[in-house]
PDB file of all heavy atoms in Angstrom:
ATOM      1  N   PRO A  87       2.882 -25.516  56.733  1.00 97.00           N
ATOM      2  CA  PRO A  87       3.970 -26.503  56.708  1.00 97.00           C
ATOM      3  C   PRO A  87       4.159 -27.204  58.049  1.00 97.00           C
ATOM      4  O   PRO A  87       4.615 -28.360  58.076  1.00 97.00           O
ATOM      5  CB  PRO A  87       5.185 -25.650  56.334  1.00 97.00           C
ATOM      6  CG  PRO A  87       4.614 -24.551  55.505  1.00 97.00           C
ATOM      7  CD  PRO A  87       3.295 -24.238  56.152  1.00 97.00           C
ATOM      8  N   GLU A  88       3.785 -26.547  59.140  1.00 97.00           N
ATOM      9  CA  GLU A  88       3.904 -27.170  60.467  1.00 97.00           C
ATOM     10  C   GLU A  88       2.947 -28.346  60.648  1.00 97.00           C
ATOM     11  O   GLU A  88       3.080 -29.116  61.606  1.00 97.00           O
ATOM     12  CB  GLU A  88       3.654 -26.134  61.564  1.00 97.00           C
ATOM     13  CG  GLU A  88       4.761 -25.091  61.731  1.00 97.00           C
ATOM     14  CD  GLU A  88       4.845 -24.109  60.586  1.00 97.00           C
ATOM     15  OE1 GLU A  88       3.783 -23.773  60.009  1.00 97.00           O
ATOM     16  OE2 GLU A  88       5.973 -23.678  60.249  1.00 97.00           O
ATOM     17  N   ASP A  89       1.985 -28.481  59.762  1.00 98.00           N
ATOM     18  CA  ASP A  89       1.060 -29.616  59.824  1.00 98.00           C
ATOM     19  C   ASP A  89       1.611 -30.854  59.131  1.00 98.00           C
ATOM     20  O   ASP A  89       0.983 -31.917  59.157  1.00 98.00           O
ATOM     21  CB  ASP A  89      -0.282 -29.237  59.182  1.00 98.00           C
ATOM     22  CG  ASP A  89      -0.992 -28.146  59.947  1.00 98.00           C
ATOM     23  OD1 ASP A  89      -1.032 -28.209  61.192  1.00 98.00           O
ATOM     24  OD2 ASP A  89      -1.522 -27.214  59.300  1.00 98.00           O
ATOM     25  N   THR A  90       2.764 -30.742  58.515  1.00 98.00           N
ATOM     26  CA  THR A  90       3.382 -31.883  57.851  1.00 98.00           C
ATOM     27  C   THR A  90       3.719 -32.957  58.872  1.00 98.00           C
ATOM     28  O   THR A  90       4.427 -32.716  59.852  1.00 98.00           O
ATOM     29  CB  THR A  90       4.657 -31.454  57.115  1.00 98.00           C
ATOM     30  OG1 THR A  90       4.291 -30.552  56.062  1.00 98.00           O
ATOM     31  CG2 THR A  90       5.385 -32.661  56.536  1.00 98.00           C
ATOM     32  N   ALA A  91       3.174 -34.147  58.670  1.00 98.00           N
ATOM     33  CA  ALA A  91       3.357 -35.251  59.625  1.00 98.00           C
ATOM     34  C   ALA A  91       2.694 -36.500  59.067  1.00 98.00           C
ATOM     35  O   ALA A  91       1.959 -36.451  58.076  1.00 98.00           O
ATOM     36  CB  ALA A  91       2.732 -34.909  60.974  1.00 98.00           C
ATOM     37  N   MET A  92       2.961 -37.619  59.742  1.00 98.00           N
ATOM     38  CA  MET A  92       2.192 -38.833  59.500  1.00 98.00           C
ATOM     39  C   MET A  92       0.987 -38.761  60.432  1.00 98.00           C
ATOM     40  O   MET A  92       1.152 -38.541  61.637  1.00 98.00           O
ATOM     41  CB  MET A  92       3.031 -40.073  59.800  1.00 98.00           C
ATOM     42  CG  MET A  92       2.335 -41.374  59.457  1.00 98.00           C
ATOM     43  SD  MET A  92       2.226 -41.650  57.677  1.00 98.00           S
ATOM     44  CE  MET A  92       3.895 -42.221  57.363  1.00 98.00           C
ATOM     45  N   TYR A  93      -0.195 -38.945  59.881  1.00 98.00           N
ATOM     46  CA  TYR A  93      -1.422 -38.869  60.653  1.00 98.00           C
ATOM     47  C   TYR A  93      -1.967 -40.284  60.871  1.00 98.00           C
ATOM     48  O   TYR A  93      -2.097 -41.060  59.917  1.00 98.00           O
ATOM     49  CB  TYR A  93      -2.451 -38.006  59.933  1.00 98.00           C
ATOM     50  CG  TYR A  93      -2.163 -36.532  60.062  1.00 98.00           C
ATOM     51  CD1 TYR A  93      -1.086 -35.960  59.386  1.00 98.00           C
ATOM     52  CD2 TYR A  93      -2.936 -35.711  60.874  1.00 98.00           C
ATOM     53  CE1 TYR A  93      -0.787 -34.610  59.514  1.00 98.00           C
ATOM     54  CE2 TYR A  93      -2.662 -34.364  61.003  1.00 98.00           C
ATOM     55  CZ  TYR A  93      -1.580 -33.825  60.324  1.00 98.00           C
ATOM     56  OH  TYR A  93      -1.296 -32.481  60.459  1.00 98.00           O
ATOM     57  N   TYR A  94      -2.303 -40.578  62.118  1.00 98.00           N
ATOM     58  CA  TYR A  94      -2.777 -41.902  62.500  1.00 98.00           C
ATOM     59  C   TYR A  94      -4.189 -41.840  63.059  1.00 98.00           C
ATOM     60  O   TYR A  94      -4.521 -40.940  63.837  1.00 98.00           O
ATOM     61  CB  TYR A  94      -1.871 -42.514  63.576  1.00 98.00           C
ATOM     62  CG  TYR A  94      -0.457 -42.745  63.123  1.00 98.00           C
ATOM     63  CD1 TYR A  94       0.526 -41.782  63.317  1.00 98.00           C
ATOM     64  CD2 TYR A  94      -0.085 -43.938  62.519  1.00 98.00           C
ATOM     65  CE1 TYR A  94       1.838 -41.979  62.917  1.00 98.00           C
ATOM     66  CE2 TYR A  94       1.226 -44.164  62.109  1.00 98.00           C
ATOM     67  CZ  TYR A  94       2.171 -43.173  62.303  1.00 98.00           C
ATOM     68  OH  TYR A  94       3.465 -43.391  61.904  1.00 98.00           O
ATOM     69  N   CYS A  95      -4.975 -42.803  62.683  1.00 97.00           N
ATOM     70  CA  CYS A  95      -6.298 -43.013  63.250  1.00 97.00           C
ATOM     71  C   CYS A  95      -6.165 -44.031  64.382  1.00 97.00           C
ATOM     72  O   CYS A  95      -5.388 -44.992  64.265  1.00 97.00           O
ATOM     73  CB  CYS A  95      -7.206 -43.551  62.154  1.00 97.00           C
ATOM     74  SG  CYS A  95      -8.826 -44.105  62.684  1.00 97.00           S
ATOM     75  N   ALA A  96      -6.909 -43.817  65.456  1.00 97.00           N
ATOM     76  CA  ALA A  96      -6.860 -44.728  66.586  1.00 97.00           C
ATOM     77  C   ALA A  96      -8.254 -44.903  67.160  1.00 97.00           C
ATOM     78  O   ALA A  96      -9.106 -44.015  67.023  1.00 97.00           O
ATOM     79  CB  ALA A  96      -5.902 -44.208  67.654  1.00 97.00           C
ATOM     80  N   ALA A  97      -8.481 -46.030  67.816  1.00 96.00           N
ATOM     81  CA  ALA A  97      -9.783 -46.327  68.391  1.00 96.00           C
ATOM     82  C   ALA A  97      -9.611 -47.071  69.702  1.00 96.00           C
ATOM     83  O   ALA A  97      -8.642 -47.810  69.895  1.00 96.00           O
ATOM     84  CB  ALA A  97     -10.615 -47.143  67.414  1.00 96.00           C
ATOM     85  N   GLY A  98     -10.566 -46.867  70.596  1.00 94.00           N
ATOM     86  CA  GLY A  98     -10.521 -47.533  71.889  1.00 94.00           C
ATOM     87  C   GLY A  98     -11.705 -48.452  72.075  1.00 94.00           C
ATOM     88  O   GLY A  98     -12.531 -48.622  71.186  1.00 94.00           O
ATOM     89  N   ALA A  99     -11.780 -49.044  73.255  1.00 92.00           N
ATOM     90  CA  ALA A  99     -12.862 -49.969  73.596  1.00 92.00           C
ATOM     91  C   ALA A  99     -13.732 -49.406  74.707  1.00 92.00           C
ATOM     92  O   ALA A  99     -14.355 -50.161  75.453  1.00 92.00           O
ATOM     93  CB  ALA A  99     -12.283 -51.324  73.997  1.00 92.00           C
ATOM     94  N   ARG A 100     -13.773 -48.092  74.799  1.00 93.00           N
ATOM     95  CA  ARG A 100     -14.617 -47.418  75.758  1.00 93.00           C
ATOM     96  C   ARG A 100     -15.202 -46.194  75.092  1.00 93.00           C
ATOM     97  O   ARG A 100     -14.702 -45.721  74.076  1.00 93.00           O
ATOM     98  CB  ARG A 100     -13.825 -47.039  77.005  1.00 93.00           C
ATOM     99  CG  ARG A 100     -12.517 -46.324  76.704  1.00 93.00           C
ATOM    100  CD  ARG A 100     -11.673 -46.144  77.947  1.00 93.00           C
ATOM    101  NE  ARG A 100     -12.331 -45.286  78.910  1.00 93.00           N
ATOM    102  CZ  ARG A 100     -12.095 -45.339  80.217  1.00 93.00           C
ATOM    103  NH1 ARG A 100     -11.239 -46.228  80.707  1.00 93.00           N
ATOM    104  NH2 ARG A 100     -12.704 -44.521  81.043  1.00 93.00           N
ATOM    105  N   ALA A 101     -16.258 -45.660  75.666  1.00 93.00           N
ATOM    106  CA  ALA A 101     -16.954 -44.542  75.029  1.00 93.00           C
ATOM    107  C   ALA A 101     -16.091 -43.286  74.955  1.00 93.00           C
ATOM    108  O   ALA A 101     -16.176 -42.524  74.003  1.00 93.00           O
ATOM    109  CB  ALA A 101     -18.247 -44.242  75.769  1.00 93.00           C
ATOM    110  N   THR A 102     -15.261 -43.088  75.973  1.00 94.00           N
ATOM    111  CA  THR A 102     -14.399 -41.904  76.021  1.00 94.00           C
ATOM    112  C   THR A 102     -12.980 -42.342  76.341  1.00 94.00           C
ATOM    113  O   THR A 102     -12.772 -43.092  77.287  1.00 94.00           O
ATOM    114  CB  THR A 102     -14.880 -40.917  77.090  1.00 94.00           C
ATOM    115  OG1 THR A 102     -16.216 -40.524  76.786  1.00 94.00           O
ATOM    116  CG2 THR A 102     -13.987 -39.680  77.122  1.00 94.00           C
ATOM    117  N   CYS A 103     -12.040 -41.886  75.578  1.00 94.00           N
ATOM    118  CA  CYS A 103     -10.632 -42.170  75.837  1.00 94.00           C
ATOM    119  C   CYS A 103      -9.978 -40.898  76.380  1.00 94.00           C
ATOM    120  O   CYS A 103      -9.675 -39.985  75.616  1.00 94.00           O
ATOM    121  CB  CYS A 103      -9.923 -42.623  74.563  1.00 94.00           C
ATOM    122  SG  CYS A 103     -10.403 -44.264  74.006  1.00 94.00           S
ATOM    123  N   PHE A 104      -9.789 -40.868  77.687  1.00 91.00           N
ATOM    124  CA  PHE A 104      -9.190 -39.694  78.314  1.00 91.00           C
ATOM    125  C   PHE A 104      -7.679 -39.681  78.169  1.00 91.00           C
ATOM    126  O   PHE A 104      -7.059 -38.626  78.152  1.00 91.00           O
ATOM    127  CB  PHE A 104      -9.556 -39.650  79.795  1.00 91.00           C
ATOM    128  CG  PHE A 104     -11.028 -39.454  80.039  1.00 91.00           C
ATOM    129  CD1 PHE A 104     -11.814 -40.523  80.438  1.00 91.00           C
ATOM    130  CD2 PHE A 104     -11.620 -38.219  79.856  1.00 91.00           C
ATOM    131  CE1 PHE A 104     -13.180 -40.356  80.657  1.00 91.00           C
ATOM    132  CE2 PHE A 104     -12.980 -38.041  80.077  1.00 91.00           C
ATOM    133  CZ  PHE A 104     -13.755 -39.119  80.476  1.00 91.00           C
ATOM    134  N   GLU A 105      -7.107 -40.886  78.093  1.00 92.00           N
ATOM    135  CA  GLU A 105      -5.658 -41.035  78.004  1.00 92.00           C
ATOM    136  C   GLU A 105      -5.294 -41.697  76.684  1.00 92.00           C
ATOM    137  O   GLU A 105      -6.038 -42.536  76.175  1.00 92.00           O
ATOM    138  CB  GLU A 105      -5.138 -41.905  79.153  1.00 92.00           C
ATOM    139  CG  GLU A 105      -5.508 -41.414  80.534  1.00 92.00           C
ATOM    140  CD  GLU A 105      -4.758 -40.141  80.900  1.00 92.00           C
ATOM    141  OE1 GLU A 105      -3.695 -39.883  80.303  1.00 92.00           O
ATOM    142  OE2 GLU A 105      -5.243 -39.412  81.784  1.00 92.00           O
ATOM    143  N   ASP A 106      -4.137 -41.321  76.165  1.00 93.00           N
ATOM    144  CA  ASP A 106      -3.697 -41.926  74.904  1.00 93.00           C
ATOM    145  C   ASP A 106      -3.552 -43.439  75.027  1.00 93.00           C
ATOM    146  O   ASP A 106      -3.743 -44.171  74.052  1.00 93.00           O
ATOM    147  CB  ASP A 106      -2.372 -41.306  74.458  1.00 93.00           C
ATOM    148  CG  ASP A 106      -2.528 -39.851  74.039  1.00 93.00           C
ATOM    149  OD1 ASP A 106      -3.684 -39.345  74.051  1.00 93.00           O
ATOM    150  OD2 ASP A 106      -1.520 -39.214  73.708  1.00 93.00           O
ATOM    151  N   SER A 107      -3.222 -43.915  76.209  1.00 95.00           N
ATOM    152  CA  SER A 107      -3.047 -45.356  76.405  1.00 95.00           C
ATOM    153  C   SER A 107      -4.352 -46.132  76.262  1.00 95.00           C
ATOM    154  O   SER A 107      -4.336 -47.355  76.122  1.00 95.00           O
ATOM    155  CB  SER A 107      -2.444 -45.625  77.784  1.00 95.00           C
ATOM    156  OG  SER A 107      -3.305 -45.137  78.799  1.00 95.00           O
TER     157      SER A 107
END
Side-chain angles (χ1 to χ4, degrees):
E88 289 70 34
D89 295 316
T90 295
M92 185 72 79
Y93 283 71
Y94 297 92
C95 172
R100 49 188 296 154
T102 301
C103 289
F104 295 104
E105 304 290 338
D106 292 357
S107 61

